[in-house]
Amino acid sequence: MLKAIQEKLHPFLDHPWVVSVSTGVDSMVLLDLVRRLNHPIVVVHFNHQKRIESNTEAEFIQSYCETHHLDLQYIKLEIPSGNFQDEAHHLRKQHLEGVARTYQTPYILTAHHANDLAETVLMRLSRGSNLLGYAGLQPVSAQGDFIYLKPLLSFSKADLYAYAKNHQIHFFEDASNQENLYTRNRYRKQIVPQMIEENPQFLNKVIQYSNHLNEAFSYIRKQSKKYLSVHDNHLLLSTFFLEDVVIQKDIIACLLESNQIEFNQLKLDSILSFLTHSGPNQSFQLDDTLILRRVYQKVSIVEATPSKPFNQVLDLEAFNVLETMGFVTFLDAPSNSSFYEIKLCYNKLALPLVARQRQPGDILEFPYGKKKLKDYYIDHKIPMHIRDRDIVITDQTGRILSVLGRYYNTSKDLDSVIKLRYKRGY
């Protein structure tokens, strides 16, 4: 086993290794193996403060590291209320990366093994995932500035127990791992053992399955990154739809991952459907702050600009600056290419004029009848972010005289005309 671990870790000798150690058989075997390689390591031990035995385990690992002259980072975790396992995983990852930064290394080693891989694969098959997710765990995975290494991934739990027995390695059993409270524990105690009983080669088959998917994903991801590199991290639909659908979905996944947006298969399918059927100026809400915006053939992820509501009485003799930092003026100002100019029809008896944002129930007047502004937007396929930038001009009765740059009321009873210049702002 030592020789196999040495071969797996040989490409990563240029920096120290941060090793996460829980004192269970998995991590104590990993610690023994990497210690024997005589490479600089930093041991990180977490006390979740959930069990009485935790303090005893902490004292043991402290003594172990002192005996073998190893650097130890001992961290007590304060887990907030909520999903304990998810919160604990997030905090461990955060602290491990913090330790790696302190020791100026990208390498973080964890003791995941073949049984963990089988549990993960089966759980993701039951819940749904993408190609990489179905592969389960990766022996080497880059996450931001860090590289997570799992050198025990091809060894079973039984292999680790045998190594510990043969080398007289002391370890602790976590009683909470035997509880059925958590989903993973049920897979660990019931489902995976049944699969191994059905086929003693089950774990090897899972490893083969994972390797095949990882190899396929590696090729697909290279194609996706190549596409995004050529197109400067945007989608050009005229070329995007020439790619195979599996590449299309992974290109989308790449974009979402680079913007730290959570997604699942349903979200990928929804985005692909949007790209297939959307008009030339529409957007798809990705999360609370980001949207996927299509402008004709170009698609990119941008921040959703929050609209600024405004309702402002206009002075016909002034330069009216709006809260959106746009403006409306009726002055005979010099021509400027950044100004838009129209002739506005209005009724002097219905002054003053008002500039505002669109509102629910807005009605437009046409020679053939009336139409809701909302329906007008839909008919013309005007995306939401553009609707929010529109300036609506009304008279004091609330009658819409213009949606600047888009609609002008030309009813015959509007017998006065004034020149209006404007700029939308934001």
Side-chain angles (χ1 to χ4, degrees):
M1 187 181 286
L2 179 63
K3 184 177 180 181
I5 297 300
Q6 186 174 25
E7 290 177 356
K8 293 175 188 294
L9 293 176
H10 182 72
F12 311 104
L13 298 176
D14 54 326
H15 289 87
W17 300 328
V18 173
V19 186
S20 181
V21 178
S22 69
T23 72
V25 65
D26 319 337
S27 58
M28 289 309 301
V29 167
L30 175 63
L31 181 56
D32 182 81
L33 287 165
V34 297
R35 182 180 61 79
R36 292 172 185 272
L37 296 178
N38 295 316
H39 184 78
I41 63 175
V42 184
V43 177
V44 181
H45 177 72
F46 297 104
N47 183 344
H48 295 79
Q49 306 186 80
K50 291 281 286 184
R51 298 175 294 114
I52 297 174
E53 301 86 355
S54 295
N55 292 331
T56 302
E57 294 166 7
E59 291 171 1
F60 166 76
I61 197 64
Q62 287 171 330
S63 175
Y64 182 100
C65 290
E66 287 174 5
T67 300
H68 295 286
H69 309 290
L70 302 175
D71 287 352
L72 170 67
Q73 295 290 321
Y74 172 52
I75 300 168
K76 288 186 176 182
L77 294 181
E78 299 287 344
I79 311 296
S81 59
N83 187 315
F84 177 83
Q85 285 197 326
D86 286 349
E87 292 292 342
H89 172 76
H90 174 75
L91 286 174
R92 287 195 301 269
K93 185 172 184 289
Q94 189 178 72
H95 284 293
L96 285 169
E97 292 179 357
V99 172
R101 285 192 186 93
T102 300
Y103 284 83
Q104 299 182 325
T105 177
Y107 303 132
I108 298 173
L109 276 64
T110 62
H112 294 89
H113 47 78
N115 293 65
D116 294 324
L117 175 63
E119 293 161 15
T120 303
V121 167
L122 291 174
M123 289 171 65
R124 290 182 180 173
L125 284 171
S126 67
R127 294 174 177 174
S129 186
N130 62 2
L131 191 64
L132 182 61
Y134 289 134
L137 306 170
Q138 289 75 50
V140 180
S141 61
Q143 299 183 32
D145 297 329
F146 304 97
I147 298 174
Y148 283 78
L149 305 173
K150 299 177 177 61
L152 299 181
L153 208 55
S154 60
F155 298 98
S156 70
K157 186 89 168 184
D159 294 332
L160 303 186
Y161 276 120
Y163 182 94
K165 181 178 180 180
N166 292 337
H167 293 82
Q168 297 182 325
I169 296 174
H170 184 71
F171 60 88
F172 293 82
E173 292 284 6
D174 185 346
S176 66
N177 287 335
Q178 303 305 313
E179 299 173 355
N180 280 335
L181 178 63
Y182 301 116
T183 302
R184 183 173 288 275
N185 285 4
R186 293 193 289 274
Y187 276 84
R188 179 174 298 150
K189 287 181 58 184
Q190 301 170 17
I191 299 175
V192 171
Q194 288 178 12
M195 300 298 288
I196 294 174
E197 184 177 351
E198 182 73 23
N199 179 6
Q201 293 299 311
F202 172 70
L203 292 181
N204 288 333
K205 299 303 179 184
V206 169
I207 292 170
Q208 292 173 13
Y209 167 83
S210 178
N211 288 341
H212 289 326
L213 290 190
N214 276 319
E215 289 166 0
F217 177 80
S218 178
Y219 172 78
I220 291 169
R221 183 49 59 99
K222 285 178 182 177
Q223 303 309 306
S224 301
K225 288 185 174 180
K226 180 179 178 181
Y227 178 92
L228 290 171
S229 175
V230 169
H231 295 87
D232 193 27
N233 286 322
H234 295 88
L235 306 185
L236 188 64
L237 296 184
S238 58
T239 60
F240 176 77
F241 286 117
L242 296 178
E243 302 287 347
D244 188 270
V245 66
V246 70
I247 304 294
Q248 293 174 16
K249 289 184 178 181
D250 193 59
I251 290 171
I252 296 169
C254 264
L255 275 177
L256 298 179
E257 288 168 10
S258 65
N259 286 275
Q260 298 181 325
I261 299 170
E262 293 185 1
F263 65 93
N264 52 27
Q265 192 63 44
L266 178 60
K267 192 163 193 173
L268 291 180
D269 289 338
S270 297
I271 292 172
L272 190 58
S273 177
F274 164 77
L275 295 176
T276 304
H277 301 106
S278 65
N281 286 291
Q282 291 187 284
S283 59
F284 183 98
Q285 195 77 37
L286 297 172
D287 60 17
D288 292 339
T289 60
L290 297 175
I291 59 173
L292 191 71
R293 178 176 294 169
R294 174 180 176 180
V295 180
Y296 296 98
Q297 290 293 302
K298 187 176 181 180
V299 179
S300 54
I301 293 178
V302 298
E303 287 190 17
T305 305
S307 58
K308 297 182 179 180
F310 62 97
N311 192 306
Q312 188 170 335
V313 174
L314 299 175
D315 185 342
L316 273 59
E317 304 298 326
F319 190 91
N320 300 276
V321 178
L322 306 178
E323 293 181 34
T324 62
M325 300 310 295
F327 67 81
V328 173
T329 180
F330 304 92
L331 300 176
D332 195 14
S335 178
N336 187 307
S337 59
S338 66
F339 298 178
Y340 297 98
E341 184 175 297
I342 66 163
K343 289 184 178 181
L344 182 72
C345 299
Y346 69 103
N347 188 328
K348 289 182 179 180
L349 298 178
L351 291 176
L353 303 183
V354 174
R356 64 167 172 78
Q357 194 182 38
R358 63 191 178 91
Q359 296 177 356
D362 277 343
I363 299 294
L364 305 181
E365 298 176 35
F366 295 93
Y368 55 80
K370 296 182 179 180
K371 173 179 284 191
K372 290 182 179 179
L373 177 57
K374 178 183 177 181
D375 293 337
Y376 177 89
Y377 281 137
I378 293 172
D379 291 346
H380 290 78
K381 296 182 171 58
I382 297 168
M384 194 66 66
H385 74 279
I386 294 179
R387 301 179 194 183
D388 289 340
R389 295 183 61 215
D390 277 350
I391 300 171
V392 177
I393 304 295
T394 74
D395 60 24
Q396 68 168 343
T397 69
R399 185 181 186 184
I400 294 179
L401 305 178
S402 177
V403 180
L404 295 180
R406 205 173 304 287
Y407 161 83
Y408 308 100
N409 192 330
T410 57
S411 299
K412 293 180 179 180
D413 61 316
L414 301 176
D415 51 7
S416 299
V417 178
I418 191 171
K419 186 187 292 183
L420 179 149
R421 292 186 175 89
Y422 70 96
K423 191 174 183 180
R424 286 192 175 91
Y426 57 75

